[in-house]
Amino acid sequence: QVQLVESGGGSVQAGGSVRLSCAASGNIDLTRCMAWFRQEPGKEREGVAAIYTGGSSTNYADSAKGRFIISRDNAKNTMYLQMNDLKPEDTAMYYCAAYRASWSWCYLGDDFYDYWGLGTQVTVSS
């Protein structure tokens, strides 16, 4: 089993930055792929960015490219999402997720992910 705990959300003005963290515990081998998803009320959950263990490969949604950076520190079992140039449409609950990938590519479809955190809210005001 794996436990995932997000932190770092909050309120920020448009153009600002936020850094999210996701701490993993338990069977870390099951977290070869980790990702950030987000969801607004009444909308489908959207994959934002994913990263393979050691950071050897990353995968970004178009909405995140050029503004967000995903990283992970295996020594701390922690994944990060640096979000820059935030826009009001980035407002959402952000979730951390993980699965034990068979190869070094991490998908952004939520069906792949077995473990989820409870989320952290990010609110961007204009």
Side-chain angles (χ1 to χ4, degrees), residues 26-84:
N27 188 345
I28 299 302
D29 186 56
L30 300 177
T31 66
R32 294 181 186 178
C33 274
M34 295 184 74
W36 290 99
F37 289 80
R38 66 185 183 186
Q39 188 171 24
E40 297 176 69
K43 295 188 178 181
E44 290 189 359
R45 188 161 50 194
E46 172 193 19
V48 176
I51 186 167
Y52 188 70
T53 183
S56 58
S57 72
T58 57
N59 184 11
Y60 290 92
D62 288 343
S63 59
K65 290 178 181 176
R67 298 189 300 128
F68 296 177
I69 300 172
I70 191 171
S71 62
R72 61 190 291 176
D73 184 336
N74 282 359
K76 296 181 178 180
N77 296 327
T78 300
M79 175 180 66
Y80 306 96
L81 185 68
Q82 177 68 42
M83 302 191 292
N84 302 317

Side-chain angles (χ1 to χ4, degrees), residues 78-126:
T78 300
M79 175 180 66
Y80 306 96
L81 185 68
Q82 177 68 42
M83 302 191 292
N84 302 317
D85 189 24
L86 283 162
K87 304 175 181 180
E89 51 264 41
D90 294 317
T91 295
M93 184 71 80
Y94 283 73
Y95 298 92
C96 169
Y99 74 100
R100 186 182 183 276
S102 299
W103 51 82
S104 59
W105 176 254
C106 300
Y107 295 94
L108 284 175
D110 56 6
D111 288 349
F112 288 92
Y113 291 81
D114 298 313
Y115 305 100
W116 294 83
L118 296 180
T120 185
Q121 177 69 35
V122 174
T123 301
V124 184
S125 58
S126 58

Side-chain angles (χ1 to χ4, degrees), residues 11-32:
S11 297
V12 63
Q13 290 192 329
S17 297
V18 167
R19 189 195 196 203
L20 304 182
S21 299
C22 173
S25 60
N27 188 345
I28 299 302
D29 186 56
L30 300 177
T31 66
R32 294 181 186 178

